[in-house]
Amino acid sequence: MLADAESLYATLQVHAQPSGFGAEIVGPDLTRPLSKAVLAEVKAAWARHSVVAFPDQPLTLDQLEAFTQAIGAFGEDPFIKPMPGHPNVLELRREPDERATNFGAGWHSDWSFQKTPPAATLLHSEVVPPVGGDTLFCDCSRAYDALSEAMKQMLSPLRAVHSATRAYGTQGVFAKETEKRTLQIITSSEADKSLTHPLVRTHPVTGRKALFISPVYTVGVEGMTAQESAAILGYLFQHMTQEEFIYRHRWRPKMLLMWDNRCTMHFAEGGYDGHLRVMHRTTVAGDVPA
Ligand code: SIN
């Protein structure tokens, strides 16, 4: 990891990943309210690196909620039962004896089927398994930048169709699941609805363009046949998930990770059957993708 230029931050140490995508932030104590200056630097580092990890942050649920709200208002988390007494916190818990696929095991940007998908997701590690359980991130801005000008022009007017149907719909994977799962998922016909967003969106803070599609929630391209959509999306998904655009996050206990759903997608890797993994998750509301 590389330290960001000293002059960029007065209050934080920001250790960027060598690619610049992803960084570790040392310095702030997230168990307490942050000063305006520190919060501004945290937001700046997050905008710059898209996925930021804060090691050694033993947050209670109340402290996780308070830090989330310092970033922005809570987002809406559908289809999953929240923690008792904490309507904005999901506990992603997988017991050692669970055989159901781990939650999040497909490339996605959180809740992109919403009219205003969350800007941020925050995930706090309570119990980290001794093997596996990494989370992979794709830099959708860099993947966009690497496309040819001709491809960028072709994609520019397109709108992608997003839906939760494949995951949470009446015929989705969770509806058909037979294995026991600790996470309480509520499948619904609501999930079968769809809406469109620009296939390429512009980040409201950085102004950078990013591919805003994912294999889990993007089910087509508006105005195209299923075959045409599959050809274009299939190519883009293969392009985006090349090694050069990926950051692999390795968890340590009591680590807080905050990612930007507007310019990344992520994938929760399994590989920890026989071990407990417990995470607490919140989201921050975003705006209409443009
Ligand atoms: C998610 O998709 O939000 C889950 C990520 C993880 O558990 O690593």
Side-chain angles (χ1 to χ4, degrees):
M1 286 193 288
L2 308 171
D4 259 9
E6 287 300 315
S7 57
L8 280 181
Y9 308 99
T11 66
L12 306 177
Q13 289 174 47
V14 178
H15 303 286
Q17 297 300 328
S19 66
F21 176 50
E24 199 165 284
I25 299 183
V26 180
D29 177 359
L30 304 186
T31 65
R32 296 155 174 270
L34 299 184
S35 69
K36 269 192 182 166
V38 175
L39 188 58
E41 291 200 346
V42 165
K43 287 184 178 176
W46 177 50
R48 184 174 164 88
H49 298 290
S50 307
V51 184
V52 288
F54 303 86
D56 306 317
Q57 300 285 349
L59 302 178
T60 63
L61 292 179
D62 289 347
Q63 289 163 343
L64 172 62
E65 288 165 333
F67 178 65
T68 304
Q69 286 184 292
I71 300 297
F74 286 124
E76 260 184 53
D77 292 313
F79 309 130
I80 299 175
K81 209 167 164 198
M83 293 189 78
H86 296 275
N88 295 294
V89 184
L90 304 182
E91 181 169 80
L92 309 186
R93 182 184 191 93
R94 191 168 186 273
E95 296 288 343
D97 64 350
E98 277 191 53
R99 291 293 167 265
T101 312
N102 61 289
F103 179 74
W107 284 107
H108 64 286
S109 170
D110 285 328
W111 312 144
S112 71
F113 50 83
Q114 292 180 329
K115 195 168 170 221
T116 54
T121 301
L122 292 87
L123 196 60
H124 186 244
S125 50
E126 297 300 321
V127 180
V128 174
V131 289
D134 293 351
T135 310
L136 308 185
F137 289 88
C138 161
D139 184 339
C140 302
S141 304
R142 202 168 290 190
Y144 172 79
D145 290 344
L147 294 170
S148 67
E149 283 310 314
M151 178 61 97
K152 286 177 185 166
Q153 274 179 31
M154 189 195 76
L155 298 179
S156 152
L158 299 181
R159 294 185 69 83
V161 184
H162 294 249
S163 171
T165 189
R166 288 176 181 154
Y168 304 99
T170 47
Q171 300 301 313
V173 290
F174 292 121
K176 293 185 176 158
E177 189 165 77
T178 51
E179 299 284 359
K180 156 181 136 18
R181 181 182 287 283
T182 310
L183 187 67
Q184 291 185 41
I185 293 179
I186 306 145
T187 57
S188 154
S189 57
E190 271 298 296
D192 297 327
K193 294 180 177 168
S194 63
L195 51 59
T196 67
H197 290 308
L199 194 150
V200 176
R201 75 181 286 186
T202 303
H203 195 285
V205 177
T206 65
R208 286 187 75 188
K209 290 187 176 177
L211 292 164
F212 190 57
I213 49 173
S214 74
V216 172
Y217 294 137
T218 308
V219 297
V221 178
E222 189 176 52
M224 290 195 177
T225 64
Q227 289 85 348
E228 290 164 348
S229 293
I232 290 180
L233 293 174
Y235 166 71
L236 291 173
F237 295 150
Q238 171 270 322
H239 166 75
M240 298 161 83
T241 53
Q242 294 176 89
E243 197 60 37
E244 65 194 280
F245 305 127
I246 305 301
Y247 160 60
R248 170 179 291 275
H249 181 71
R250 295 189 167 88
W251 290 95
R252 302 195 293 275
K254 304 297 171 195
M255 190 175 229
L256 181 72
L257 193 67
M258 177 165 76
W259 63 81
D260 193 328
N261 287 302
R262 299 166 293 190
C263 55
T264 68
M265 58 175 185
H266 58 281
F267 182 110
E269 251 190 8
Y272 55 94
D273 282 1
H275 302 283
L276 178 66
R277 185 177 188 265
V278 184
M279 303 274 172
H280 290 149
R281 195 183 106 145
T282 56
T283 54
V284 171
D287 42 22
V288 177

